[in-house]
Amino acid sequence: AQSVTQLDSHVSVSEGTPVLLRCNYSSSYSPSLFWYVQHPNKGLQLLLKYTSAATLVKGINGFEAEFKKSETSFHLTKPSAHMSDAAEYFCVVGRSGGYNKLIFGAGTRLAVHP
Amino acid sequence: DAGVTQSPTHLIKTRGQQVTLRCSPKSGHDTVSWYQQALGQGPQFIFQYYEEEERQRGNFPDRFSGHQFPNYSSELNVNALLLGDSALYLCASSLVGRANYGYTFGSGTRLTVV
């Protein structure tokens, strides 16, 4: 079985300060992990993915995440927040290969203040 | 390169009616999955189609059914609509066995049941 827990439902930061969105996962299999972003009234956009290669994954728009197996975590970070980063972020776990479904966390709403 | 296309973008239906939502996958993808995203929640997996057959199903009643056509496009049908079916319905496409590469999501269909 697989599950995802996003530890914060809301995160608020000032523009130019670091962003940390926390995610813990549970998986009976070697997981694939993703972060997706959803802007208001939009679909989901893939930020980055971990698929058992490098544990530090770099994504679009300056985001990165580190896979820590011992802590079952996959936290999303960005050194400096921009106003356009304000959105809903989803941590997602899947399984490599075959017919795969994605399990989404409940989401973290990121607010960025000037 | 066209991404995932969903139609219609918005829909209002009355309780008890039936609805059909449509999805065209990203060029080169052969697998289509459907997700339901209720307001303020993460997307929930409904089912997945490959080679015109349902391959996996989430915890949704039989009122939810689907179809995949030879050109890989897909339909989601919901019968006997309930108020609780109001949600954003997302279609995602991928390549079978390559789901760890990430899914491509459409912008969704916003269904409102009144």
Side-chain angles (χ1 to χ4, degrees), chain A residues 32 34 36 38 41-44 46 49-51 90 95-107, chain B residues 33 35 37 40-43 45 48 50 55-57 88 90 96-97 99-103 105-107 110:
Chain A
S32 293
F34 310 87
Y36 281 86
Q38 186 175 39
N41 300 313
K42 299 288 186 181
L44 293 161
L46 179 65
K49 58 181 183 281
Y50 165 77
T51 56
F90 293 98
R95 180 183 178 185
S96 301
Y99 307 118
N100 190 350
K101 66 179 181 183
L102 299 178
I103 306 297
F104 283 75
Chain B
S33 303
Y35 290 79
Q37 185 178 19
Q41 298 181 23
F45 175 75
Q48 182 180 75
Y50 171 68
R55 300 294 179 168
Q56 282 196 90
R57 189 179 184 93
L88 180 67
L90 295 164
V96 69
N100 56 317
Y101 288 4
Y103 286 69
F105 281 84
S107 296
R110 174 74 63 186

mmCIF file of all heavy atoms in Angstrom, chain A residues 32 34 36 38 41-44 46 49-51 90 95-107, chain B residues 33 35 37 40-43 45 48 50 55-57 88 90 96-97 99-103 105-107 110:
data_model
loop_
_atom_site.group_PDB
_atom_site.id
_atom_site.type_symbol
_atom_site.label_atom_id
_atom_site.label_comp_id
_atom_site.label_asym_id
_atom_site.label_seq_id
_atom_site.Cartn_x
_atom_site.Cartn_y
_atom_site.Cartn_z
ATOM 1 N N SER A 32 8.132 5.831 -6.852
ATOM 2 C CA SER A 32 8.392 7.017 -7.647
ATOM 3 C C SER A 32 7.680 8.160 -6.922
ATOM 4 O O SER A 32 6.558 7.998 -6.460
ATOM 5 C CB SER A 32 7.840 6.873 -9.072
ATOM 6 O OG SER A 32 8.548 5.889 -9.779
ATOM 7 N N PHE A 34 6.734 12.437 -6.835
ATOM 8 C CA PHE A 34 6.548 13.615 -7.674
ATOM 9 C C PHE A 34 6.066 14.777 -6.811
ATOM 10 O O PHE A 34 5.441 14.593 -5.769
ATOM 11 C CB PHE A 34 5.484 13.356 -8.757
ATOM 12 C CG PHE A 34 5.675 12.089 -9.551
ATOM 13 C CD1 PHE A 34 5.160 10.884 -9.093
ATOM 14 C CD2 PHE A 34 6.338 12.106 -10.759
ATOM 15 C CE1 PHE A 34 5.309 9.715 -9.825
ATOM 16 C CE2 PHE A 34 6.491 10.934 -11.503
ATOM 17 C CZ PHE A 34 5.980 9.743 -11.032
ATOM 18 N N TYR A 36 3.710 18.108 -7.816
ATOM 19 C CA TYR A 36 2.932 18.823 -8.817
ATOM 20 C C TYR A 36 2.482 20.143 -8.223
ATOM 21 O O TYR A 36 2.236 20.259 -7.015
ATOM 22 C CB TYR A 36 1.696 18.017 -9.226
ATOM 23 C CG TYR A 36 1.956 16.901 -10.212
ATOM 24 C CD1 TYR A 36 2.349 15.633 -9.782
ATOM 25 C CD2 TYR A 36 1.797 17.104 -11.587
ATOM 26 C CE1 TYR A 36 2.576 14.614 -10.687
ATOM 27 C CE2 TYR A 36 2.016 16.082 -12.493
ATOM 28 C CZ TYR A 36 2.414 14.848 -12.034
ATOM 29 O OH TYR A 36 2.627 13.837 -12.945
ATOM 30 N N GLN A 38 -0.429 23.348 -8.721
ATOM 31 C CA GLN A 38 -1.722 23.690 -9.328
ATOM 32 C C GLN A 38 -2.028 25.151 -9.028
ATOM 33 O O GLN A 38 -2.259 25.507 -7.867
ATOM 34 C CB GLN A 38 -2.824 22.783 -8.796
ATOM 35 C CG GLN A 38 -4.159 22.968 -9.483
ATOM 36 C CD GLN A 38 -5.204 21.964 -9.001
ATOM 37 O OE1 GLN A 38 -5.269 21.638 -7.825
ATOM 38 N NE2 GLN A 38 -6.008 21.456 -9.918
ATOM 39 N N ASN A 41 -7.676 27.484 -10.669
ATOM 40 C CA ASN A 41 -8.459 27.165 -11.868
ATOM 41 C C ASN A 41 -7.622 26.610 -13.010
ATOM 42 O O ASN A 41 -7.957 26.788 -14.185
ATOM 43 C CB ASN A 41 -9.231 28.401 -12.344
ATOM 44 C CG ASN A 41 -10.181 28.911 -11.277
ATOM 45 O OD1 ASN A 41 -10.918 28.135 -10.672
ATOM 46 N ND2 ASN A 41 -10.128 30.199 -11.023
ATOM 47 N N LYS A 42 -6.544 25.944 -12.647
ATOM 48 C CA LYS A 42 -5.673 25.332 -13.654
ATOM 49 C C LYS A 42 -5.511 23.847 -13.370
ATOM 50 O O LYS A 42 -5.847 23.362 -12.280
ATOM 51 C CB LYS A 42 -4.290 25.997 -13.647
ATOM 52 C CG LYS A 42 -4.299 27.477 -13.960
ATOM 53 C CD LYS A 42 -4.599 27.742 -15.410
ATOM 54 C CE LYS A 42 -4.452 29.220 -15.728
ATOM 55 N NZ LYS A 42 -4.771 29.521 -17.150
ATOM 56 N N GLY A 43 -4.956 23.133 -14.341
ATOM 57 C CA GLY A 43 -4.631 21.728 -14.129
ATOM 58 C C GLY A 43 -3.343 21.583 -13.346
ATOM 59 O O GLY A 43 -2.825 22.535 -12.766
ATOM 60 N N LEU A 44 -2.807 20.390 -13.329
ATOM 61 C CA LEU A 44 -1.609 20.071 -12.563
ATOM 62 C C LEU A 44 -0.375 20.114 -13.459
ATOM 63 O O LEU A 44 -0.379 19.551 -14.551
ATOM 64 C CB LEU A 44 -1.741 18.681 -11.954
ATOM 65 C CG LEU A 44 -2.813 18.542 -10.893
ATOM 66 C CD1 LEU A 44 -3.196 17.083 -10.694
ATOM 67 C CD2 LEU A 44 -2.332 19.139 -9.577
ATOM 68 N N LEU A 46 3.772 19.236 -13.556
ATOM 69 C CA LEU A 46 4.844 18.505 -12.908
ATOM 70 C C LEU A 46 6.016 19.435 -12.613
ATOM 71 O O LEU A 46 6.547 20.083 -13.509
ATOM 72 C CB LEU A 46 5.304 17.356 -13.809
ATOM 73 C CG LEU A 46 6.448 16.494 -13.282
ATOM 74 C CD1 LEU A 46 6.017 15.731 -12.028
ATOM 75 C CD2 LEU A 46 6.930 15.509 -14.357
ATOM 76 N N LYS A 49 10.474 15.028 -10.370
ATOM 77 C CA LYS A 49 10.181 13.634 -10.068
ATOM 78 C C LYS A 49 11.445 12.911 -9.611
ATOM 79 O O LYS A 49 12.555 13.229 -10.051
ATOM 80 C CB LYS A 49 9.603 12.918 -11.290
ATOM 81 C CG LYS A 49 10.491 12.925 -12.519
ATOM 82 C CD LYS A 49 9.802 12.217 -13.673
ATOM 83 C CE LYS A 49 10.713 12.147 -14.904
ATOM 84 N NZ LYS A 49 10.717 13.425 -15.635
ATOM 85 N N TYR A 50 11.250 11.948 -8.709
ATOM 86 C CA TYR A 50 12.308 11.060 -8.267
ATOM 87 C C TYR A 50 11.959 9.654 -8.731
ATOM 88 O O TYR A 50 10.861 9.165 -8.470
ATOM 89 C CB TYR A 50 12.430 11.077 -6.740
ATOM 90 C CG TYR A 50 13.246 9.920 -6.237
ATOM 91 C CD1 TYR A 50 14.632 9.927 -6.327
ATOM 92 C CD2 TYR A 50 12.630 8.784 -5.729
ATOM 93 C CE1 TYR A 50 15.384 8.842 -5.903
ATOM 94 C CE2 TYR A 50 13.378 7.697 -5.295
ATOM 95 C CZ TYR A 50 14.750 7.731 -5.395
ATOM 96 O OH TYR A 50 15.482 6.650 -4.991
ATOM 97 N N THR A 51 12.921 9.022 -9.418
ATOM 98 C CA THR A 51 12.655 7.677 -9.941
ATOM 99 C C THR A 51 13.852 6.771 -9.702
ATOM 100 O O THR A 51 14.269 6.037 -10.592
ATOM 101 C CB THR A 51 12.329 7.737 -11.432
ATOM 102 O OG1 THR A 51 13.410 8.387 -12.122
ATOM 103 C CG2 THR A 51 11.052 8.506 -11.674
ATOM 104 N N PHE A 90 1.211 19.619 -4.525
ATOM 105 C CA PHE A 90 0.844 18.251 -4.171
ATOM 106 C C PHE A 90 2.063 17.347 -4.242
ATOM 107 O O PHE A 90 2.762 17.316 -5.267
ATOM 108 C CB PHE A 90 -0.238 17.710 -5.105
ATOM 109 C CG PHE A 90 -1.559 18.381 -4.966
ATOM 110 C CD1 PHE A 90 -1.931 19.391 -5.850
ATOM 111 C CD2 PHE A 90 -2.437 18.030 -3.946
ATOM 112 C CE1 PHE A 90 -3.158 20.028 -5.724
ATOM 113 C CE2 PHE A 90 -3.655 18.666 -3.808
ATOM 114 C CZ PHE A 90 -4.021 19.676 -4.694
ATOM 115 N N ARG A 95 4.172 4.090 -8.474
ATOM 116 C CA ARG A 95 4.971 2.883 -8.551
ATOM 117 C C ARG A 95 5.530 2.765 -9.951
ATOM 118 O O ARG A 95 4.790 2.968 -10.920
ATOM 119 C CB ARG A 95 4.104 1.671 -8.219
ATOM 120 C CG ARG A 95 4.838 0.343 -8.260
ATOM 121 C CD ARG A 95 3.878 -0.786 -7.998
ATOM 122 N NE ARG A 95 4.536 -2.084 -8.083
ATOM 123 C CZ ARG A 95 3.913 -3.241 -8.000
ATOM 124 N NH1 ARG A 95 2.611 -3.271 -7.812
ATOM 125 N NH2 ARG A 95 4.574 -4.371 -8.088
ATOM 126 N N SER A 96 6.789 2.452 -10.040
ATOM 127 C CA SER A 96 7.406 2.340 -11.353
ATOM 128 C C SER A 96 6.872 1.141 -12.107
ATOM 129 O O SER A 96 6.667 0.081 -11.536
ATOM 130 C CB SER A 96 8.924 2.193 -11.200
ATOM 131 O OG SER A 96 9.472 3.295 -10.525
ATOM 132 N N GLY A 97 6.637 1.333 -13.386
ATOM 133 C CA GLY A 97 6.288 0.221 -14.250
ATOM 134 C C GLY A 97 4.848 -0.211 -14.160
ATOM 135 O O GLY A 97 4.134 0.103 -13.227
ATOM 136 N N GLY A 98 4.413 -0.939 -15.164
ATOM 137 C CA GLY A 98 3.084 -1.533 -15.159
ATOM 138 C C GLY A 98 1.991 -0.502 -15.148
ATOM 139 O O GLY A 98 2.166 0.639 -15.561
ATOM 140 N N TYR A 99 0.832 -0.918 -14.678
ATOM 141 C CA TYR A 99 -0.302 -0.014 -14.577
ATOM 142 C C TYR A 99 -0.199 0.669 -13.231
ATOM 143 O O TYR A 99 -0.260 0.042 -12.191
ATOM 144 C CB TYR A 99 -1.607 -0.790 -14.712
ATOM 145 C CG TYR A 99 -1.637 -1.642 -15.962
ATOM 146 C CD1 TYR A 99 -1.751 -3.020 -15.879
ATOM 147 C CD2 TYR A 99 -1.528 -1.068 -17.220
ATOM 148 C CE1 TYR A 99 -1.762 -3.798 -17.020
ATOM 149 C CE2 TYR A 99 -1.532 -1.838 -18.360
ATOM 150 C CZ TYR A 99 -1.653 -3.190 -18.260
ATOM 151 O OH TYR A 99 -1.657 -3.970 -19.385
ATOM 152 N N ASN A 100 -0.053 1.951 -13.295
ATOM 153 C CA ASN A 100 0.343 2.683 -12.106
ATOM 154 C C ASN A 100 -0.685 3.732 -11.787
ATOM 155 O O ASN A 100 -1.134 4.445 -12.669
ATOM 156 C CB ASN A 100 1.683 3.343 -12.397
ATOM 157 C CG ASN A 100 2.325 3.931 -11.167
ATOM 158 O OD1 ASN A 100 1.716 4.018 -10.120
ATOM 159 N ND2 ASN A 100 3.565 4.324 -11.299
ATOM 160 N N LYS A 101 -1.122 3.840 -10.547
ATOM 161 C CA LYS A 101 -1.969 4.953 -10.147
ATOM 162 C C LYS A 101 -1.170 5.847 -9.219
ATOM 163 O O LYS A 101 -0.263 5.407 -8.528
ATOM 164 C CB LYS A 101 -3.231 4.454 -9.451
ATOM 165 C CG LYS A 101 -2.993 3.777 -8.125
ATOM 166 C CD LYS A 101 -4.304 3.335 -7.511
ATOM 167 C CE LYS A 101 -4.090 2.669 -6.173
ATOM 168 N NZ LYS A 101 -5.364 2.178 -5.595
ATOM 169 N N LEU A 102 -1.532 7.098 -9.219
ATOM 170 C CA LEU A 102 -0.873 8.075 -8.373
ATOM 171 C C LEU A 102 -1.692 8.303 -7.112
ATOM 172 O O LEU A 102 -2.916 8.420 -7.172
ATOM 173 C CB LEU A 102 -0.698 9.393 -9.126
ATOM 174 C CG LEU A 102 0.154 9.348 -10.392
ATOM 175 C CD1 LEU A 102 0.191 10.726 -11.034
ATOM 176 C CD2 LEU A 102 1.552 8.844 -10.095
ATOM 177 N N ILE A 103 -0.994 8.384 -5.983
ATOM 178 C CA ILE A 103 -1.616 8.698 -4.714
ATOM 179 C C ILE A 103 -1.181 10.108 -4.327
ATOM 180 O O ILE A 103 0.025 10.368 -4.170
ATOM 181 C CB ILE A 103 -1.207 7.716 -3.616
ATOM 182 C CG1 ILE A 103 -1.474 6.274 -4.057
ATOM 183 C CG2 ILE A 103 -1.941 8.040 -2.316
ATOM 184 C CD1 ILE A 103 -2.914 5.953 -4.314
ATOM 185 N N PHE A 104 -2.162 10.986 -4.180
ATOM 186 C CA PHE A 104 -1.881 12.393 -3.893
ATOM 187 C C PHE A 104 -1.987 12.679 -2.399
ATOM 188 O O PHE A 104 -2.842 12.131 -1.703
ATOM 189 C CB PHE A 104 -2.881 13.294 -4.615
ATOM 190 C CG PHE A 104 -2.616 13.467 -6.087
ATOM 191 C CD1 PHE A 104 -2.910 12.458 -6.982
ATOM 192 C CD2 PHE A 104 -2.079 14.653 -6.564
ATOM 193 C CE1 PHE A 104 -2.672 12.616 -8.340
ATOM 194 C CE2 PHE A 104 -1.838 14.823 -7.914
ATOM 195 C CZ PHE A 104 -2.134 13.803 -8.794
ATOM 196 N N GLY A 105 -1.116 13.592 -1.945
ATOM 197 C CA GLY A 105 -1.324 14.164 -0.633
ATOM 198 C C GLY A 105 -2.473 15.163 -0.675
ATOM 199 O O GLY A 105 -3.022 15.454 -1.739
ATOM 200 N N ALA A 106 -2.814 15.680 0.484
ATOM 201 C CA ALA A 106 -3.953 16.603 0.586
ATOM 202 C C ALA A 106 -3.632 17.989 0.060
ATOM 203 O O ALA A 106 -4.536 18.801 -0.150
ATOM 204 C CB ALA A 106 -4.430 16.694 2.030
ATOM 205 N N GLY A 107 -2.348 18.267 -0.150
ATOM 206 C CA GLY A 107 -1.958 19.545 -0.717
ATOM 207 C C GLY A 107 -1.464 20.534 0.329
ATOM 208 O O GLY A 107 -1.872 20.486 1.503
ATOM 209 N N SER B 33 -5.721 7.973 -17.423
ATOM 210 C CA SER B 33 -6.251 7.823 -16.075
ATOM 211 C C SER B 33 -7.171 8.995 -15.772
ATOM 212 O O SER B 33 -6.967 10.097 -16.281
ATOM 213 C CB SER B 33 -5.117 7.797 -15.047
ATOM 214 O OG SER B 33 -4.197 6.776 -15.325
ATOM 215 N N TYR B 35 -9.083 11.242 -12.599
ATOM 216 C CA TYR B 35 -9.023 11.599 -11.191
ATOM 217 C C TYR B 35 -10.152 12.570 -10.876
ATOM 218 O O TYR B 35 -10.511 13.406 -11.707
ATOM 219 C CB TYR B 35 -7.684 12.263 -10.849
ATOM 220 C CG TYR B 35 -6.500 11.313 -10.899
ATOM 221 C CD1 TYR B 35 -5.914 10.962 -12.110
ATOM 222 C CD2 TYR B 35 -5.977 10.756 -9.730
ATOM 223 C CE1 TYR B 35 -4.850 10.082 -12.152
ATOM 224 C CE2 TYR B 35 -4.909 9.876 -9.772
ATOM 225 C CZ TYR B 35 -4.356 9.543 -10.983
ATOM 226 O OH TYR B 35 -3.301 8.670 -11.029
ATOM 227 N N GLN B 37 -11.154 15.573 -8.216
ATOM 228 C CA GLN B 37 -10.615 16.485 -7.211
ATOM 229 C C GLN B 37 -11.750 17.313 -6.631
ATOM 230 O O GLN B 37 -12.226 18.265 -7.258
ATOM 231 C CB GLN B 37 -9.528 17.393 -7.797
ATOM 232 C CG GLN B 37 -8.861 18.266 -6.752
ATOM 233 C CD GLN B 37 -7.757 19.138 -7.308
ATOM 234 O OE1 GLN B 37 -7.684 19.367 -8.505
ATOM 235 N NE2 GLN B 37 -6.887 19.627 -6.442
ATOM 236 N N GLY B 40 -10.795 21.740 -2.348
ATOM 237 C CA GLY B 40 -9.922 21.745 -1.181
ATOM 238 C C GLY B 40 -9.229 20.434 -0.887
ATOM 239 O O GLY B 40 -8.601 20.289 0.166
ATOM 240 N N GLN B 41 -9.316 19.481 -1.796
ATOM 241 C CA GLN B 41 -8.696 18.170 -1.583
ATOM 242 C C GLN B 41 -7.741 17.824 -2.710
ATOM 243 O O GLN B 41 -7.736 18.451 -3.767
ATOM 244 C CB GLN B 41 -9.771 17.096 -1.477
ATOM 245 C CG GLN B 41 -10.724 17.286 -0.309
ATOM 246 C CD GLN B 41 -11.740 16.176 -0.238
ATOM 247 O OE1 GLN B 41 -11.524 15.083 -0.753
ATOM 248 N NE2 GLN B 41 -12.854 16.441 0.412
ATOM 249 N N GLY B 42 -6.934 16.797 -2.477
ATOM 250 C CA GLY B 42 -6.082 16.277 -3.526
ATOM 251 C C GLY B 42 -6.872 15.371 -4.455
ATOM 252 O O GLY B 42 -7.903 14.824 -4.080
ATOM 253 N N PRO B 43 -6.404 15.218 -5.677
ATOM 254 C CA PRO B 43 -7.092 14.327 -6.626
ATOM 255 C C PRO B 43 -7.136 12.882 -6.128
ATOM 256 O O PRO B 43 -6.185 12.408 -5.514
ATOM 257 C CB PRO B 43 -6.236 14.447 -7.892
ATOM 258 C CG PRO B 43 -5.553 15.781 -7.772
ATOM 259 C CD PRO B 43 -5.280 15.933 -6.306
ATOM 260 N N PHE B 45 -7.863 8.878 -7.421
ATOM 261 C CA PHE B 45 -7.837 8.025 -8.607
ATOM 262 C C PHE B 45 -9.185 7.357 -8.819
ATOM 263 O O PHE B 45 -9.725 6.729 -7.907
ATOM 264 C CB PHE B 45 -6.740 6.978 -8.422
ATOM 265 C CG PHE B 45 -6.655 5.941 -9.500
ATOM 266 C CD1 PHE B 45 -6.126 6.255 -10.741
ATOM 267 C CD2 PHE B 45 -7.089 4.640 -9.279
ATOM 268 C CE1 PHE B 45 -6.024 5.295 -11.740
ATOM 269 C CE2 PHE B 45 -6.997 3.673 -10.262
ATOM 270 C CZ PHE B 45 -6.468 3.999 -11.499
ATOM 271 N N GLN B 48 -8.102 3.637 -14.685
ATOM 272 C CA GLN B 48 -7.069 3.788 -15.701
ATOM 273 C C GLN B 48 -7.382 2.859 -16.869
ATOM 274 O O GLN B 48 -7.781 1.704 -16.656
ATOM 275 C CB GLN B 48 -5.715 3.436 -15.112
ATOM 276 C CG GLN B 48 -4.539 3.587 -16.054
ATOM 277 C CD GLN B 48 -3.240 3.211 -15.368
ATOM 278 O OE1 GLN B 48 -2.945 2.041 -15.156
ATOM 279 N NE2 GLN B 48 -2.460 4.221 -14.998
ATOM 280 N N TYR B 50 -6.031 1.201 -20.625
ATOM 281 C CA TYR B 50 -4.949 0.884 -21.560
ATOM 282 C C TYR B 50 -5.459 -0.176 -22.505
ATOM 283 O O TYR B 50 -6.121 -1.133 -22.082
ATOM 284 C CB TYR B 50 -3.715 0.380 -20.805
ATOM 285 C CG TYR B 50 -2.629 -0.168 -21.698
ATOM 286 C CD1 TYR B 50 -1.911 0.670 -22.548
ATOM 287 C CD2 TYR B 50 -2.325 -1.525 -21.697
ATOM 288 C CE1 TYR B 50 -0.921 0.168 -23.377
ATOM 289 C CE2 TYR B 50 -1.336 -2.035 -22.522
ATOM 290 C CZ TYR B 50 -0.644 -1.181 -23.357
ATOM 291 O OH TYR B 50 0.343 -1.679 -24.176
ATOM 292 N N ARG B 55 -7.862 -1.083 -16.469
ATOM 293 C CA ARG B 55 -6.764 -1.865 -15.898
ATOM 294 C C ARG B 55 -6.695 -1.762 -14.388
ATOM 295 O O ARG B 55 -6.237 -2.668 -13.715
ATOM 296 C CB ARG B 55 -5.435 -1.408 -16.495
ATOM 297 C CG ARG B 55 -5.365 -1.556 -17.995
ATOM 298 C CD ARG B 55 -5.399 -2.997 -18.434
ATOM 299 N NE ARG B 55 -5.360 -3.130 -19.882
ATOM 300 C CZ ARG B 55 -5.153 -4.276 -20.519
ATOM 301 N NH1 ARG B 55 -4.973 -5.394 -19.808
ATOM 302 N NH2 ARG B 55 -5.142 -4.319 -21.835
ATOM 303 N N GLN B 56 -7.092 -0.609 -13.856
ATOM 304 C CA GLN B 56 -7.100 -0.406 -12.418
ATOM 305 C C GLN B 56 -8.299 0.465 -12.088
ATOM 306 O O GLN B 56 -8.738 1.279 -12.912
ATOM 307 C CB GLN B 56 -5.844 0.337 -11.935
ATOM 308 C CG GLN B 56 -4.599 -0.481 -11.829
ATOM 309 C CD GLN B 56 -3.565 0.238 -11.005
ATOM 310 O OE1 GLN B 56 -3.484 0.094 -9.799
ATOM 311 N NE2 GLN B 56 -2.769 1.061 -11.670
ATOM 312 N N ARG B 57 -8.806 0.293 -10.878
ATOM 313 C CA ARG B 57 -9.935 1.094 -10.446
ATOM 314 C C ARG B 57 -9.752 1.501 -9.001
ATOM 315 O O ARG B 57 -9.292 0.700 -8.173
ATOM 316 C CB ARG B 57 -11.239 0.305 -10.602
ATOM 317 C CG ARG B 57 -12.483 1.135 -10.378
ATOM 318 C CD ARG B 57 -13.751 0.310 -10.578
ATOM 319 N NE ARG B 57 -14.927 1.173 -10.441
ATOM 320 C CZ ARG B 57 -15.521 1.785 -11.460
ATOM 321 N NH1 ARG B 57 -15.069 1.632 -12.682
ATOM 322 N NH2 ARG B 57 -16.578 2.550 -11.265
ATOM 323 N N LEU B 88 -13.727 18.826 -9.729
ATOM 324 C CA LEU B 88 -12.911 18.979 -10.926
ATOM 325 C C LEU B 88 -12.456 17.585 -11.340
ATOM 326 O O LEU B 88 -11.868 16.855 -10.542
ATOM 327 C CB LEU B 88 -11.702 19.863 -10.627
ATOM 328 C CG LEU B 88 -10.731 20.118 -11.784
ATOM 329 C CD1 LEU B 88 -11.393 20.967 -12.872
ATOM 330 C CD2 LEU B 88 -9.461 20.811 -11.276
ATOM 331 N N LEU B 90 -10.067 15.401 -13.605
ATOM 332 C CA LEU B 90 -8.797 15.529 -14.306
ATOM 333 C C LEU B 90 -8.482 14.258 -15.072
ATOM 334 O O LEU B 90 -8.654 13.150 -14.556
ATOM 335 C CB LEU B 90 -7.671 15.824 -13.312
ATOM 336 C CG LEU B 90 -7.754 17.161 -12.583
ATOM 337 C CD1 LEU B 90 -6.841 17.153 -11.368
ATOM 338 C CD2 LEU B 90 -7.388 18.293 -13.515
ATOM 339 N N VAL B 96 2.453 3.268 -20.904
ATOM 340 C CA VAL B 96 2.442 2.088 -20.051
ATOM 341 C C VAL B 96 3.868 1.646 -19.764
ATOM 342 O O VAL B 96 4.724 1.652 -20.653
ATOM 343 C CB VAL B 96 1.642 0.944 -20.710
ATOM 344 C CG1 VAL B 96 2.345 0.393 -21.926
ATOM 345 C CG2 VAL B 96 1.368 -0.164 -19.700
ATOM 346 N N GLY B 97 4.139 1.324 -18.490
ATOM 347 C CA GLY B 97 5.469 0.911 -18.094
ATOM 348 C C GLY B 97 6.434 2.064 -17.930
ATOM 349 O O GLY B 97 7.573 1.863 -17.519
ATOM 350 N N ALA B 99 5.303 5.054 -16.383
ATOM 351 C CA ALA B 99 4.577 6.019 -15.552
ATOM 352 C C ALA B 99 5.518 6.786 -14.639
ATOM 353 O O ALA B 99 5.220 7.897 -14.230
ATOM 354 C CB ALA B 99 3.512 5.301 -14.739
ATOM 355 N N ASN B 100 6.679 6.194 -14.338
ATOM 356 C CA ASN B 100 7.617 6.913 -13.493
ATOM 357 C C ASN B 100 8.206 8.129 -14.194
ATOM 358 O O ASN B 100 8.866 8.949 -13.567
ATOM 359 C CB ASN B 100 8.743 5.982 -13.019
ATOM 360 C CG ASN B 100 9.469 5.312 -14.165
ATOM 361 O OD1 ASN B 100 8.844 4.857 -15.109
ATOM 362 N ND2 ASN B 100 10.763 5.254 -14.103
ATOM 363 N N TYR B 101 7.987 8.241 -15.480
ATOM 364 C CA TYR B 101 8.431 9.442 -16.187
ATOM 365 C C TYR B 101 7.509 10.610 -15.866
ATOM 366 O O TYR B 101 7.822 11.745 -16.186
ATOM 367 C CB TYR B 101 8.441 9.214 -17.698
ATOM 368 C CG TYR B 101 9.542 8.303 -18.184
ATOM 369 C CD1 TYR B 101 10.408 7.660 -17.307
ATOM 370 C CD2 TYR B 101 9.699 8.054 -19.537
ATOM 371 C CE1 TYR B 101 11.398 6.812 -17.764
ATOM 372 C CE2 TYR B 101 10.692 7.210 -20.010
ATOM 373 C CZ TYR B 101 11.532 6.598 -19.120
ATOM 374 O OH TYR B 101 12.506 5.756 -19.591
ATOM 375 N N GLY B 102 6.372 10.336 -15.292
ATOM 376 C CA GLY B 102 5.437 11.396 -14.949
ATOM 377 C C GLY B 102 4.220 11.372 -15.831
ATOM 378 O O GLY B 102 4.286 10.981 -16.990
ATOM 379 N N TYR B 103 3.115 11.746 -15.265
ATOM 380 C CA TYR B 103 1.883 11.858 -16.003
ATOM 381 C C TYR B 103 1.729 13.288 -16.502
ATOM 382 O O TYR B 103 2.158 14.233 -15.859
ATOM 383 C CB TYR B 103 0.698 11.552 -15.091
ATOM 384 C CG TYR B 103 0.518 10.095 -14.741
ATOM 385 C CD1 TYR B 103 1.414 9.431 -13.926
ATOM 386 C CD2 TYR B 103 -0.583 9.399 -15.220
ATOM 387 C CE1 TYR B 103 1.234 8.105 -13.592
ATOM 388 C CE2 TYR B 103 -0.777 8.070 -14.886
ATOM 389 C CZ TYR B 103 0.126 7.431 -14.073
ATOM 390 O OH TYR B 103 -0.058 6.117 -13.749
ATOM 391 N N PHE B 105 -1.155 16.014 -17.162
ATOM 392 C CA PHE B 105 -2.546 16.265 -16.801
ATOM 393 C C PHE B 105 -3.169 17.313 -17.710
ATOM 394 O O PHE B 105 -2.501 18.266 -18.133
ATOM 395 C CB PHE B 105 -2.642 16.759 -15.353
ATOM 396 C CG PHE B 105 -2.532 15.666 -14.335
ATOM 397 C CD1 PHE B 105 -1.290 15.212 -13.928
ATOM 398 C CD2 PHE B 105 -3.666 15.082 -13.787
ATOM 399 C CE1 PHE B 105 -1.180 14.198 -12.984
ATOM 400 C CE2 PHE B 105 -3.565 14.067 -12.839
ATOM 401 C CZ PHE B 105 -2.322 13.628 -12.448
ATOM 402 N N GLY B 106 -4.462 17.142 -17.945
ATOM 403 C CA GLY B 106 -5.238 18.184 -18.595
ATOM 404 C C GLY B 106 -5.671 19.237 -17.591
ATOM 405 O O GLY B 106 -5.413 19.106 -16.390
ATOM 406 N N SER B 107 -6.332 20.268 -18.088
ATOM 407 C CA SER B 107 -6.790 21.360 -17.217
ATOM 408 C C SER B 107 -8.073 21.022 -16.476
ATOM 409 O O SER B 107 -8.474 21.754 -15.574
ATOM 410 C CB SER B 107 -6.990 22.636 -18.030
ATOM 411 O OG SER B 107 -5.751 23.056 -18.568
ATOM 412 N N ARG B 110 -14.741 21.094 -14.860
ATOM 413 C CA ARG B 110 -15.411 21.449 -13.596
ATOM 414 C C ARG B 110 -16.869 21.068 -13.708
ATOM 415 O O ARG B 110 -17.618 21.668 -14.473
ATOM 416 C CB ARG B 110 -15.257 22.946 -13.343
ATOM 417 C CG ARG B 110 -16.038 23.461 -12.144
ATOM 418 C CD ARG B 110 -15.405 23.066 -10.835
ATOM 419 N NE ARG B 110 -14.077 23.635 -10.659
ATOM 420 C CZ ARG B 110 -13.272 23.340 -9.651
ATOM 421 N NH1 ARG B 110 -13.661 22.478 -8.731
ATOM 422 N NH2 ARG B 110 -12.093 23.890 -9.549
#
